[in-house]
Amino acid sequence: QVQLVESGGGSVQAGGSLRLSCAASGYTSSPACMGWFRQPPGKAREGVASLGRLGTTLYSDSVKGRFTISADNGNNTLYLQMTSLKPEDTAMYFCAAAPTYPRRGCWNDLLSLPYRGQGTQVTVSS
């Protein structure tokens, strides 16, 4: 059974940085698609970043240039380096993964990937 556990969230001031980690266990093979999505308070979930098996990365326009997704396959850990944080980045952040490549693509199906963690809270104050 695949389990994803996020960590690294916290409270920071605007302009600060955080690195989120997502530790995975139970994989029988490297996932074909991994990513991060978030849910701001009172709002819908939104994709943040995706990482395909061949290393292709995609980002939402709101985080492009500020966030970086990466993976350490040896440790089965996914990361999200967040810099220049803004109050509008405040949200619960979730990691997600899929064993096979999603039909509509890694980014397009990010919110419906079958494996996801419980989330880690990020709060950015102005």
Side-chain angles (χ1 to χ4, degrees):
Q1 182 178 354
V2 172
Q3 284 191 315
L4 303 179
V5 179
E6 301 94 337
S7 61
S11 296
V12 296
Q13 290 192 325
S17 299
L18 284 173
R19 188 175 82 156
L20 305 184
S21 299
C22 172
S25 60
Y27 284 149
T28 56
S29 62
S30 295
C33 168
M34 298 178 286
W36 294 90
F37 65 90
R38 67 188 181 185
Q39 185 161 23
K43 298 184 179 180
R45 296 177 303 164
E46 59 186 27
V48 175
S50 66
L51 174 63
R53 178 175 281 165
L54 298 181
T56 303
T57 57
L58 287 173
Y59 298 90
S60 69
D61 288 343
S62 62
V63 308
K64 199 174 297 182
R66 300 188 297 120
F67 291 10
T68 303
I69 188 172
S70 63
D72 182 342
N73 292 325
N75 288 327
N76 285 335
T77 303
L78 182 70
Y79 300 101
L80 185 68
Q81 179 68 50
M82 307 186 294
T83 62
S84 302
L85 283 161
K86 305 175 181 180
E88 51 263 43
D89 295 318
T90 294
M92 184 72 80
Y93 284 73
F94 302 85
C95 63
T100 58
Y101 199 76
R103 183 174 60 86
R104 298 190 306 140
C106 193
W107 173 258
N108 290 331
D109 277 343
L110 181 57
L111 299 185
S112 60
L113 298 184
Y115 305 138
R116 63 189 66 181
Q118 294 300 307
T120 185
Q121 177 67 38
V122 171
T123 303
V124 185
S125 58
S126 58

